[in-house]
Amino acid sequence: MKRAAALVVAGTVAVWALMRWVIYDFPQIGDTRVYQHAVRMMDAGLVPYRDFDVEYPPLALAWAWGIFHLPGPPTLVFSLAMCAALAVCAVSALWLSRRLTLGRARTIAAVTVTILTPLLLGTLLQTRYDLLLAAALSLTIVAAVARRFGWMWTALAVATALKLVPVLLVPVLLIWHWRHRSAGRALGGMVASGGAVAATFIPFFAVAPAATWTLFEYHLRRPLQMESLGSSVIHILHLPFQQVHSYGSDNIDGAIPQLAATLSTLALVGAVLAIAVVMARATRGGRRPEVLIGAVAATMFAAVVFGKVVSPQYLAWLIPVALVVPGRRGALAAVGFVAALPLTQLVFPLLYSDLVQRSATLPTVLLFLRNVLLIVCLVALWPTAKRTQRTGRRKVAATRS
């Protein structure tokens, strides 16, 4: 395992170097300038949320402050940090593939695709911190499968404090902990994890409660972003909308987009709860990690599919789980995910101006196709208690024979 992990890290570094200095050797569009601006504001003694607006949680700001105070060119240091995060994802994919006994072919495929993600999805991964979130999610899943529940809740707290989306994993992880220990311990772990996340916000709520709350309102009020599922359906059907640039992105607004945004949010909440219910049923007669991985993967795909904002870098959130779900449906989802990556890169940045200006139909079609692939992945990964119970019986029969 150690030798394989070392090879995986070396491969990740090699591909990252190829991306940065050979294939994408030109100025990059990204958010590093936004992070640097926030760091400069903090260095000047200004307090986030109270003295200047920022859309990122406190832990993300603290991490950015640390990164940009390391020696070296800021963009290079940031890029290397993302390379390290991708290496964590790749090694985690190796460990999970072996733990889940995916087989040699699927293990190689999962690790290889993870390493090649910068080439498949594009250079935007080195200018946004979403790979850091993916690394935290990878560690969360590894800890859950290894039944190290203290580490699981700690890693989830870190992931949630970096970007709030991982809070959607609480139901399935709570059930997983409950099935292996007890309801009391599971609830205790969840409360401790939530308390750790809350602790990162408390100092800011203490000095400026209303201003800090705007961070949550910012994400709740956001309209449909141009690349979201709802937006792509509205574009394909030629429904009426108003195009606006707000909240740092290109969005659509109007009566139909607002209805679509509300339905997307309701669908996301419903999907997360439904996945948790099915997982609870599936783990009554057994506690196999395959059930957990499928439920986590379905939850994260639901977060992307039904999100009001689907920026291209959000597909990095799926790296920890999209490639390691066992079975034929897991393999189908992995293929769909791999196909969605280059389609995303075609739309952004290559055809994005045509999409925004509505000067061509190709980017709209490609975006819709990408979103359909994500839906196919979600359907393939959707947990089914009946199917998992059958699988468990087959495994028991095979063991007895």
Side-chain angles (χ1 to χ4, degrees):
M1 178 65 184
K2 291 182 179 180
R3 180 178 298 180
L7 291 174
V8 167
V9 172
T12 303
V13 173
V15 170
W16 196 270
L18 181 66
M19 173 196 70
R20 180 174 176 82
W21 286 291
V22 179
I23 298 179
Y24 299 109
D25 186 21
F26 50 82
Q28 307 299 326
I29 301 174
D31 291 344
T32 51
R33 66 185 186 281
V34 179
Y35 310 144
Q36 287 179 282
H37 173 73
V39 170
R40 286 194 294 268
M41 295 294 100
M42 290 186 286
D43 284 342
L46 301 180
V47 178
Y49 316 121
R50 186 192 69 181
D51 300 327
F52 64 95
D53 294 330
V54 62
E55 64 178 281
Y56 307 109
L59 186 60
L61 296 176
W63 178 84
W65 187 91
I67 283 293
F68 288 121
H69 282 84
L70 292 175
T75 55
L76 175 60
V77 173
F78 190 92
S79 177
L80 293 178
M82 293 303 98
C83 177
L86 182 62
V88 171
C89 295
V91 173
S92 297
L94 173 65
W95 187 89
L96 287 169
S97 297
R98 291 188 172 184
R99 185 65 177 260
L100 298 168
T101 61
L102 293 185
R104 183 179 179 84
R106 282 208 59 188
T107 298
I108 293 174
V111 174
T112 301
V113 171
T114 302
I115 292 173
L116 293 177
T117 302
L119 302 183
L120 294 171
L121 187 55
T123 184
L124 56 89
L125 290 179
Q126 68 170 323
T127 58
R128 294 158 175 87
Y129 77 97
D130 293 83
L131 275 177
L132 182 65
L133 175 63
L137 289 174
S138 293
L139 296 177
T140 302
I141 298 164
V142 167
V145 172
R147 302 177 189 178
R148 301 294 182 91
F149 295 106
W151 288 109
M152 179 190 78
W153 289 115
T154 300
L156 181 68
V158 171
T160 305
L162 285 170
K163 193 164 273 192
L164 303 175
V165 172
V167 73
L168 297 175
L169 292 177
V170 167
V172 296
L173 295 180
L174 179 67
I175 293 169
W176 181 248
H177 193 176
W178 181 5
R179 292 303 192 201
H180 285 86
R181 297 294 184 266
S182 66
R185 289 188 179 183
L187 289 172
M190 181 189 70
V191 170
S193 182
V197 175
T200 65
F201 286 92
I202 288 174
F204 301 97
F205 271 112
V207 297
T212 305
W213 178 247
T214 59
L215 169 66
F216 301 92
E217 290 184 335
Y218 177 92
H219 295 286
L220 292 173
R221 292 197 310 259
R222 290 189 71 164
L224 276 183
Q225 186 246 5
M226 187 73 70
E227 297 163 87
S228 65
L229 171 63
S231 174
S232 64
V233 171
I234 289 172
H235 276 80
I236 285 292
L237 297 179
H238 301 289
L239 300 176
F241 66 88
Q242 299 172 359
Q243 188 168 320
V244 295
H245 185 84
S246 59
Y247 296 86
S249 62
D250 293 294
N251 310 306
I252 64 171
D253 206 350
I256 294 179
Q258 289 175 8
L259 175 61
T262 300
L263 292 177
S264 294
T265 302
L266 293 175
L268 174 56
V269 174
V272 169
L273 295 178
I275 291 167
V277 169
V278 175
M279 179 184 170
R281 292 178 57 196
T283 53
R284 284 177 182 173
R287 298 180 291 273
R288 298 180 307 280
E290 294 88 347
V291 179
L292 169 70
I293 294 297
V296 170
T299 300
M300 291 309 301
F301 268 92
V304 174
V305 168
F306 297 123
K308 292 191 295 182
V309 180
V310 188
S311 296
Q313 67 271 18
Y314 288 6
L315 269 68
W317 305 350
L318 307 175
I319 294 173
V321 288
L323 305 167
V324 295
V325 179
R328 287 177 294 179
R329 294 197 173 203
L332 173 62
V335 172
F337 174 68
V338 173
L341 295 178
L343 283 176
T344 301
Q345 185 176 183
L346 281 174
V347 175
F348 184 91
L350 299 179
L351 300 175
Y352 190 71
S353 61
D354 293 334
L355 177 69
V356 174
Q357 297 170 10
R358 287 181 280 173
S359 58
T361 59
L362 179 60
T364 301
V365 173
L366 292 177
L367 179 62
F368 180 74
L369 178 59
R370 192 281 307 272
N371 289 335
V372 169
L373 282 173
L374 294 178
I375 294 174
V376 170
C377 293
L378 174 59
V379 172
L381 293 170
W382 193 270
T384 303
K386 185 177 180 180
R387 187 177 68 248
T388 53
Q389 289 171 357
R390 286 176 179 174
T391 303
R393 286 196 293 268
R394 285 197 298 267
K395 288 185 176 180
V396 170
T399 302
R400 289 177 178 175
S401 61

